[in-house]
Amino acid sequence: MTTDPMTTDPQCIIIGAGHAADEAVMSLRREGWTGSITLVGEEPHPPYNRPPLSKTFLAAGQAPEQLFFREPGVYQRAGVTLELGRRAIAIERATRHVRLDDGRSLPFAKLLIATGARPRMIDLPGALPGDMLPVRTIDDVLAIRPFARPGGRIVLIGAGYIGLETAAMLRKIGASVTVLEAMPRVLARVTAPAVSAFFERVHREEGVEIVTGATIAGLELQGGVKAIRLADGRSFPADLIIVGIGVLPNSEIAEAAGLATDRGILVDEACRTSDPDILAAGDCTRFTSAHYRASVRLESVQNAKDQARTAAAAICGKPARYDALPWFWSDQYDVKLQIAGLSEGFDAIALRGDATTGRSFAAFYLKAGEVIAVDAVNRPKEFMVGKKLIAARAHVDATRLADEAVPVADLAR
C-alpha cells in the first residue's frame, strides 16, 4: 500500500551515507518533507567527500573530520537520525520495514537506496589480510598512509582513474610506484588511444613504472619482502599493493527485496524503482539516459547529487525528470582532466592541441558527426564549449574542432 508522504510523521529511511545520501537529506527538507528521516550508514563516519581520498587526504595527513560534509549538529537540527556503523540487511516490502544488522526493524513510508558501490578485489595466492587495499573509504586510506612515504614501494593493480590518481599522489610524496594494467593501455575502457598515450607519458615522466598487458600470477617472498609476480616471470617488490580495478554496484539488498535490477538498481526518470515508494540514487543505479538513449550506470559525484535531488522531489510528491548531462574530473600532477559526456561508441576523434609533448589539449569524440563527449586536459574553455555542443547534439566537422586557429568560442556557433 502506498503511503501519503505528507501524513503525520511519515518516516523516510535512507540506506547509505555517501554523496547521494547527504544531498537527499538536505533536499528532502528543502522540498518540504516534514516527517522523520533516518540515515543508515555502514561506516562509523557521517557522509563525507570521497574524491580527496586518493588526493589530498592521502598525502596531507588530514583528520577524517575535515572531509565531513557537515557538523553532526547540522543533521540533528534538520531532524535527521544518524544510524552509523549499522548495516541494512533486508527490505521488507510487505510490512514497509528495513531490518538492520543489530536486529532492529525500522518502519518507512518512503525509502531511498543510496548504497553506492564497492571495490572489485582480486584473490591472489599467498595474499594475507592487509596485503592488498582499495581506495574507497577513509579507513582504507588511513591503512595506506603508513606506506605512503619517500622510498615506500607500492604496486597498484589497475590503471583506471582511481589507480592513476593514487599513483600521482604517491609519487608526489616520493614513493616508488609501479602500475600493473591487464589491458594493452591505461584508461582503455574510457578513453581513446591518444588520451591513454598521453597519460602513460605523463606518469612515466613523473617516475611511475607502468606495465600494460600484465597478467598477475600471485605473490611471493623475496628475502622476506613480498613481491607481486606476473605470468611472464617478472616480479615487483611491494611494501603494499593497492587494487583499483573498478567497482560493483551494491544492489543486492534491492534484488533480494524483489526490486528490478540489471547490473544495478533500475530506476525511472524520477529515480523511482519498480516499487513507487522506494527510490534509488547514485552509483548503485542504472537508468536510461535521455540524451544517449541508452542504459547507463554512472560513477560520479555529479550523478549522485543530481539523482538525490530528483529522488527527494519525487518523495515529496514533486516528481521531476532527471536528464543531466554526465560530467567527471580527474586531477593528476599538474594535469586537470575534465570530461563531459560519454564517449562509448565514438567513430571519430578530433584532437585540439598537442597530446604528444605538452600537457594541454582537448579530445572531442564524435559519432556519425555528432559531438558526444570531450576530454579536456588543462583546457577549461574547451570543456565548457564541449558541454554545450554535446547538449545541443551539435554536428561539427572534426577538422574544425581540431583547428586551433578557430577560436574556442566559435566552435559552439
Side-chain angles (χ1 to χ4, degrees):
M1 179 179 68
T2 300
T3 304
D4 182 350
M6 297 307 172
T7 56
T8 303
D9 195 30
Q11 173 76 290
C12 179
I13 295 179
I14 300 172
I15 303 176
H19 287 264
D22 176 78
E23 188 68 30
V25 163
M26 299 305 158
S27 294
L28 282 167
R29 291 307 187 207
R30 285 195 298 269
E31 294 289 351
W33 180 266
T34 58
S36 302
I37 301 174
T38 299
L39 186 151
V40 181
E42 287 192 38
E43 294 184 62
H45 314 291
Y48 60 87
N49 194 18
R50 293 183 187 272
L53 290 175
S54 60
K55 306 177 186 72
T56 55
F57 187 71
L58 174 60
Q62 294 173 304
E65 293 77 12
Q66 292 176 269
L67 296 184
F68 295 172
F69 288 128
R70 309 173 201 282
E71 296 285 344
V74 173
Y75 296 104
Q76 184 178 11
R77 289 190 293 275
V80 178
T81 300
L82 298 180
E83 292 282 355
L84 302 177
R86 292 266 68 91
R87 186 166 63 90
I89 61 174
I91 299 168
E92 299 169 346
R93 291 171 59 194
T95 61
R96 288 300 194 252
H97 280 74
V98 171
R99 188 152 39 91
L100 304 186
D101 59 355
D102 62 0
R104 285 180 296 155
S105 190
L106 306 180
F108 69 87
K110 297 289 183 179
L111 173 65
L112 175 64
I113 305 173
T115 44
R118 64 187 181 280
R120 291 179 182 269
M121 297 299 289
I122 57 176
D123 184 16
L124 286 186
L128 299 174
D131 284 344
M132 299 189 297
L133 293 170
V135 183
R136 188 68 179 179
T137 69
I138 283 176
D139 292 342
D140 291 336
V141 178
L142 291 178
I144 290 170
R145 274 184 181 175
F147 303 93
R149 62 182 187 275
R153 293 171 297 185
I154 299 180
V155 173
L156 287 115
I157 301 175
Y161 288 121
I162 289 295
L164 294 183
E165 288 172 2
T166 305
M169 188 53 65
L170 290 169
R171 280 301 299 144
K172 283 187 175 182
I173 295 170
S176 173
V177 180
T178 300
V179 176
L180 305 178
E181 170 56 51
M183 299 290 282
R185 56 187 176 89
V186 307
L187 301 173
R189 298 172 182 83
V190 292
T191 61
V195 181
S196 294
F198 166 79
F199 278 101
E200 287 187 30
R201 172 176 64 83
V202 167
H203 278 273
R204 289 193 173 106
E205 288 174 353
E206 298 289 344
V208 175
E209 182 177 10
I210 295 179
V211 181
T212 55
T215 300
I216 297 170
L219 292 181
E220 61 186 16
L221 283 176
Q222 294 183 351
V225 177
K226 276 188 165 49
I228 193 162
R229 185 180 73 257
L230 301 186
D232 62 10
R234 286 179 292 174
S235 63
F236 302 89
D239 300 316
L240 178 67
I241 299 165
I242 296 176
V243 181
I245 56 173
V247 298
L248 296 167
N250 291 322
S251 56
E252 290 82 0
I253 192 170
E255 184 175 0
L259 299 174
T261 62
D262 177 16
R263 297 163 295 157
I265 305 169
L266 298 180
V267 296
D268 66 9
E269 69 278 0
C271 294
R272 294 172 295 214
T273 70
S274 52
D275 184 322
D277 287 333
I278 302 177
L279 297 91
D283 293 9
C284 63
T285 67
R286 179 171 289 276
F287 61 97
T288 298
S289 166
H291 184 88
Y292 291 98
R293 303 183 183 95
S295 175
V296 299
R297 189 179 67 79
L298 301 177
E299 300 164 14
S300 76
V301 171
Q302 167 258 339
N303 176 67
K305 292 168 75 71
D306 286 349
Q307 281 195 321
R309 287 191 288 269
T310 302
I315 287 171
C316 293
K318 308 172 186 177
R321 184 170 177 262
Y322 174 68
D323 62 357
L325 186 70
W327 60 271
F328 317 84
W329 78 91
S330 178
D331 294 316
Q332 302 171 40
Y333 309 111
D334 59 348
V335 171
K336 185 170 190 66
L337 170 65
Q338 294 171 289
I339 305 163
L342 302 174
S343 62
E344 184 176 356
F346 76 94
D347 54 31
I349 185 171
L351 290 176
R352 185 180 180 89
D354 181 11
T356 59
T357 60
R359 295 195 178 189
S360 174
F361 71 96
F364 292 91
Y365 297 84
L366 299 98
K367 183 177 182 180
E370 178 185 327
V371 180
I372 60 171
V374 62
D375 292 342
V377 175
N378 293 332
R379 293 281 183 115
K381 291 181 180 179
E382 277 84 349
F383 171 68
M384 296 304 297
V385 167
K387 289 177 70 175
K388 293 179 181 178
L389 293 173
I390 298 163
R393 299 188 179 279
H395 285 67
V396 184
D397 186 80
T399 57
R400 179 175 172 80
L401 289 169
D403 186 358
E404 293 204 269
V406 178
V408 176
D410 289 352
L411 295 176
R413 293 174 181 170

